[in-house]
Amino acid sequence: MFAPVAFATSAADGLTGALADAHLGWLLAAVGLHVAGQLSRGLAWGGVLRAAWPDASPRRACGWYVCGAGLTGVLSARGGDVVRMGLAKRELPRATWPALAGTLAAEGSFEVASGVVLALVALGVGVGGLHAPSPWLIGALLSGTTAVTLLARRSPRLRRVVTEVRHGLAALREPRCFVRHVLPWQVAGRLLRLASLGCFLHAFGLPAAPAVIIAATVVQGSGRWLPIPGAGTAAAAAALVATLPAAAGHPVDAGAVGALAIAQPALLTLVGVTVSLALLTVQLRARTPRALMRAARSLTPQPAAAKP
């Protein structure tokens, strides 16, 4: 048996086993809430884009976001970002890659802030084992930002890139616009994802009190930082086994936690890829898989042609 076939068969067997004792109704609710959360975040990104380019359509931007977000399970988060940026660039002629990268930073600012708040809440209820950002990492980011600022004063090309990135950050420079057109959708997206996780916990017979949901959200996020195939799932499962009893105040079924760690990312990846491919087929007007692949390659940044 070929290795990919064997891997797919093993993954399917693992998912089937993980879902064997799960409650179907709660699973459907969890997936539906997760998709609703993606739509909400897509509308938030639409507000960010509209602040930078007034002719941008929030509804179209929502579709671009969902296309990219659904592919993160197979392309990584950065790969999904490239997909949505590429779709946006096709329909926003004045948009540049640095400016679009700035919109990602503006849209992600709430995620960073809310993630820190959730981590502090989890620590407040006595959940240990959370990985706070390293002071060295924070120092490196601050040093890098300072270095880019200083270099931009001497390099016209870098200065132009910084200017374009700032253009993408327009929503952050207009607080009223951010509060009206971005923040409500981001808050709704975060609450929907928390509700989705609560339904996943219920589906596997695990406690789903607010403290448990917050703890699970934080430890799952820390597990996904490991850039090793399978390590994210394994780390998340180990972290959940260690932290859920502390959050719940009593022991939990380790087997159910393991099943959750396998089934949740697998189901969301399956649904996300299916929805993304369907939307990409419509967005790129590709009638065959080969045409879809060819059109998808055009979404990635192309190297600038050398000047004679």
Side-chain angles (χ1 to χ4, degrees):
M1 183 178 293
F2 292 104
V5 177
F7 177 80
T9 302
S10 175
D13 291 341
L15 177 59
T16 301
L19 294 175
D21 297 325
H23 190 284
L24 180 59
W26 284 114
L27 284 178
L28 293 176
V31 172
L33 287 168
H34 176 81
V35 172
Q38 297 286 43
L39 293 172
S40 186
R41 287 191 64 184
L43 291 171
W45 189 50
V48 172
L49 288 175
R50 196 168 185 179
W53 300 280
D55 56 337
S57 166
R59 293 179 61 185
R60 297 286 290 173
C62 182
W64 303 333
Y65 180 92
V66 173
C67 282
L71 295 175
T72 56
V74 293
L75 295 180
S76 81
R78 301 290 75 79
D81 288 341
V82 170
V83 170
R84 60 164 156 152
M85 289 167 64
L87 289 169
K89 199 171 187 308
R90 283 169 59 93
E91 299 192 28
L92 299 174
R94 292 178 296 164
T96 63
W97 288 106
L100 288 169
T103 67
L104 299 190
E107 185 259 334
S109 60
F110 174 81
E111 292 301 310
V112 174
S114 62
V116 170
V117 170
L118 288 175
L120 292 176
V121 172
L123 289 172
V125 297
V127 178
L130 304 181
H131 302 287
S134 168
W136 291 103
L137 176 60
I138 297 175
L141 290 174
L142 293 176
S143 300
T145 302
T146 303
V148 169
T149 302
L150 294 175
L151 289 173
R153 295 179 180 179
R154 299 186 177 184
S155 170
R157 178 178 298 180
L158 185 57
R159 191 183 309 124
R160 184 168 58 252
V161 171
V162 171
T163 300
E164 291 174 356
V165 171
R166 288 188 61 196
H167 182 75
L169 294 170
L172 295 181
R173 299 197 303 272
E174 301 176 14
R176 182 176 300 179
C177 172
F178 189 86
V179 170
R180 291 181 58 186
H181 302 295
V182 180
L183 187 60
W185 293 114
Q186 289 182 319
V187 172
R190 171 61 78 176
L191 293 177
L192 286 167
R193 282 177 291 149
L194 289 172
S196 172
L197 179 54
C199 290
F200 269 115
L201 291 168
H202 275 299
F204 290 92
L206 293 167
V212 178
I213 295 174
I214 291 174
T217 299
V218 175
V219 298
Q220 284 182 335
S222 65
R224 294 191 186 104
W225 281 102
L226 296 177
I228 305 171
T233 300
L240 286 172
V241 169
T243 58
L244 288 193
H250 56 78
V252 299
D253 184 355
V257 173
L260 170 66
I262 294 172
Q264 182 187 12
L267 278 177
L268 296 183
T269 297
L270 177 62
V271 172
V273 169
T274 302
V275 173
S276 293
L277 291 179
L279 287 175
L280 281 173
T281 300
V282 175
Q283 296 264 1
L284 302 178
R285 299 177 182 177
R287 298 181 179 180
T288 65
R290 180 175 296 181
L292 179 60
M293 292 297 296
R294 187 164 54 247
R297 292 192 189 99
S298 69
L299 300 178
T300 58
Q302 302 298 321
K307 296 182 179 179

